[in-house]
Amino acid sequence: MSDGNIPATRTEIPVEVVGNRQGMFGGRGTGDTSGFGGLVAPIVLPGPSSRPYGGWFDEVADELEGALEEQGLDPADAIEKTVIDRGELTFHVRREHLLQVSRTLRDDPALRFELCLGVSGVHYLSDPGRELHAVYHLRSITHTRLIRVEVTAPDADPHIPSVVSVYPTNDWHEREAYDFFGIVFDGHPALTRIMMPDDWLGHPQRKDYPLGGIPVEYKGAQIPAPDQRRSYT
Amino acid sequence: MTTHYEEAGTRETTEGRVFTVTGGDWGEVVEAVAKADDERIIVNMGPQHPSTHGVLRLILEIDGETVTEARCGIGYLHTGIEKNMEFRNWVQGTTFVTRMDYLTPLFNETAYCLAVEKLLGITDQIPDRATVIRVLMMELNRISSHLVCLATGGMEIGSTTLMIYGFRDRELILDIFELVTGLRMNHAYVRPGGLAQDLPPGAVDQIREAVKLFRSRMHEYDKLATGNPVFKARLVDVGFLDLAGCLALGATGPILRATGLPNDLRKSDPYCGYENYDFEVAIADTADSYGRFLIRLEEMRQSLRIVEQCLDRLRPGPVMVADKKIAWPAQLAVGPDGMGNSLDHIRKIMGTSMEALIHHFKLVTEGFRVPVGQAYAAVESPKGELGVHVVSDGGTRPYRVHFRDPSFTNLQSMAAMCEGGQVADVIVAVAGIDPVMGGVDR
């Protein structure tokens, strides 16, 4: 057997597990004798990518890292990881450096991400220490590029710096993310609720906040509320 | 009655005297305000004011006829669509997103489906015919949305003729939508993987005729409004927002293009094969409400061009992805009681194909699974960049769906457009933004 037949050592791909999926049919506590109910599968987010990223991704990453270095900031400190998935480039930025990174992304002539497309909150309930994600999409009209910047914060300390001073458009978007997820954007000029009434308790789009709803009777049968129905996830 | 009302329905609060205007009592209110010693007057417009496009609340601080400060109150139409979608399967999501911005349902559906398809990795497998019909329907929808903008905007400045014209022509398009999707709005026609069903017989002819008829009527808008001195007096230089302001505030669509920047996702980041269509991006250099009006008119003409190109490009073929583990299995047919499940199809899967029955059952009750990850898809809606951020945890339901609705973002620029202007110009500026509260509040 020649050496060529030995499979190359598989490089260790770091993965990010954000939770577990249990069973197949969503039934809990019923007499599931199929055995499938005992299945446990981890939910794995795409891990960090390695160079080369391909296309213009390398250029943007180089420019950003170079610009941060020029400002005396170690890129490895500011950017936790860079993920390429489904043709989209995501920079995971540590929250303490978000403001500087976003200012660089906007102002550097080689980057020029002039347009911020708001912030979208995501709540990963079973990812301890990184429950709250704030996802920013930035568009460069100059270079016709689109990137994503992702920042995390733990539930216990839900603070992320506000980027309103860099992108004023995020004023309402951050208020929305605060309203729905309870992410506190430090430095926002007036972080108040925007959709829910001012005296509302809780943050409705968090995963630990129930959907609510009441069972509905239809043609004599009771249809349970959507979050009470059997789910197949 | 123990409550005592003074003239014009006033009451004292900790924030000052509050007047309740009920109509027909303007003289009394003005008289009472003139007597009041308070210099600062704050007018609450809405949320039930007819010219606020739904339930938008404008809070204006005025000094005489001048607006010194303007703020929006939103959230009156929040229905929790994003949260609700986390409790429905991926296909059911289209029935929710179509209700967001109810004047651009087909854009919402297409943007959502493009994001889901990106997550599934089937973007390349969408049949050509489905993509062409998506473009066709979106461009028709662009015309109908712009027509409502012109119609309501015209009505708000007193041009009821413009309103009648706009809604009359919109009917042409809604008739097509009804023929093709079964509904005038809330279609749920675009589905992950393709379309709910193919164009019905006669649709192509009806669209061709409607395009011809509408094109012959386009000049009426020019004759009625474009050069009309009264119309221009109300719109020119009103609601000014320059390029720097637009980019800072994230304003896209006609507002951004009115500053002279030809930014259109159909050209800069093409989706659904827009790079293969021949059309021009309408721009203006006035950065005001009049420029936005001209852009909308021109975009309707360009949309007509695209619709005709779509009709020429339609080739027979499937309208749903071939992958049977994703494609919605049902077939629809017109029965004696309207549109419903095709009896022939049910007979076939029940009687002859056990596998088809299993697929049908699994997909309808459980839905397909989407691999873990996140995706962003954006389309150029009539109002600007409509972005969808979709996150999947590998299940049969979205983990998170977020819509970056252009109305929501554009509405932020209301304060910049209105402060320092006249009260009457607030209405014109808001009409030029064209916010739809269903999209703003979601």
Side-chain angles (χ1 to χ4, degrees), chain B residues 294-333:
Chain B
L294 293 182
I295 286 176
R296 292 197 173 97
L297 272 190
E298 182 56 28
E299 282 188 359
M300 291 199 287
R301 288 197 191 92
Q302 298 296 333
S303 291
L304 288 177
R305 282 177 69 189
I306 302 177
V307 168
E308 283 178 333
Q309 292 173 46
C310 288
L311 291 175
D312 294 339
R313 265 167 210 221
L314 276 180
R315 300 281 174 274
V319 292
M320 190 44 111
V321 67
D323 188 345
K324 290 285 182 209
K325 291 203 179 292
I326 293 169
W328 189 246
Q331 302 279 319
L332 298 178

Side-chain angles (χ1 to χ4, degrees), chain B residues 291-419:
Chain B
R292 286 162 210 148
F293 163 77
L294 293 182
I295 286 176
R296 292 197 173 97
L297 272 190
E298 182 56 28
E299 282 188 359
M300 291 199 287
R301 288 197 191 92
Q302 298 296 333
S303 291
L304 288 177
R305 282 177 69 189
I306 302 177
V307 168
E308 283 178 333
Q309 292 173 46
C310 288
L311 291 175
D312 294 339
R313 265 167 210 221
L314 276 180
R315 300 281 174 274
V319 292
M320 190 44 111
V321 67
D323 188 345
K324 290 285 182 209
K325 291 203 179 292
I326 293 169
W328 189 246
Q331 302 279 319
L332 298 178
V334 178
D337 57 344
M339 183 140 6
N341 276 317
S342 157
L343 290 177
D344 283 340
H345 177 69
I346 292 176
R347 202 171 292 125
K348 183 178 156 236
I349 62 172
M350 294 285 281
T352 63
S353 173
M354 191 181 196
E355 287 75 17
L357 185 67
I358 293 171
H359 271 297
H360 190 116
F361 181 76
K362 288 278 280 181
L363 280 168
V364 174
T365 58
E366 180 179 326
F368 54 78
R369 279 162 205 279
V370 172
V372 187
Q374 56 183 335
Y376 179 85
V379 300
E380 184 72 32
S381 103
K383 281 130 187 143
E385 172 161 357
L386 174 67
V388 189
H389 177 226
V390 175
V391 183
S392 171
D393 67 343
T396 55
R397 297 165 162 191
Y399 191 72
R400 163 86 169 130
V401 180
H402 175 69
F403 266 65
R404 186 258 185 210
D405 194 278
S407 293
F408 177 81
T409 317
N410 292 352
L411 197 53
Q412 287 188 98
S413 56
M414 190 280 292
M417 288 182 188
C418 296
E419 285 178 4

Side-chain angles (χ1 to χ4, degrees), chain B residues 4 9 12 30-31 39 90 109 129 145 236 276 300 319-320 324 327 335 341 358 361 400 411 419 431 434 437:
Chain B
H4 174 66
E12 295 293 338
V30 171
E31 206 175 300
E39 298 271 308
W90 291 92
E109 293 169 22
R129 188 176 171 85
S145 169
V236 171
N276 304 321
M300 291 199 287
V319 292
M320 190 44 111
K324 290 285 182 209
N341 276 317
I358 293 171
F361 181 76
R400 163 86 169 130
L411 197 53
E419 285 178 4
D434 188 22
M437 298 315 286

Side-chain angles (χ1 to χ4, degrees), chain B residues 159-226:
Chain B
S159 171
T160 44
T161 316
L162 196 52
M163 187 267 284
I164 297 290
Y165 279 12
F167 280 109
R168 176 198 65 186
D169 291 341
R170 179 173 176 250
E171 281 305 301
L172 290 175
I173 290 163
L174 293 190
D175 285 346
I176 295 170
F177 286 169
E178 192 174 353
L179 178 72
V180 174
T181 72
L183 291 165
R184 288 157 57 89
M185 55 206 302
N186 304 340
H187 313 286
Y189 179 64
V190 183
R191 303 279 174 86
L195 303 170
Q197 55 185 329
D198 204 346
L199 294 178
V204 174
D205 293 337
Q206 185 170 336
I207 296 171
R208 271 197 205 284
E209 257 167 56
V211 168
K212 216 163 109 188
L213 182 58
F214 183 60
R215 183 165 277 149
S216 72
R217 286 176 178 176
M218 274 299 290
H219 72 280
E220 292 178 0
Y221 294 93
D222 281 330
K223 276 171 88 172
L224 181 67
T226 307

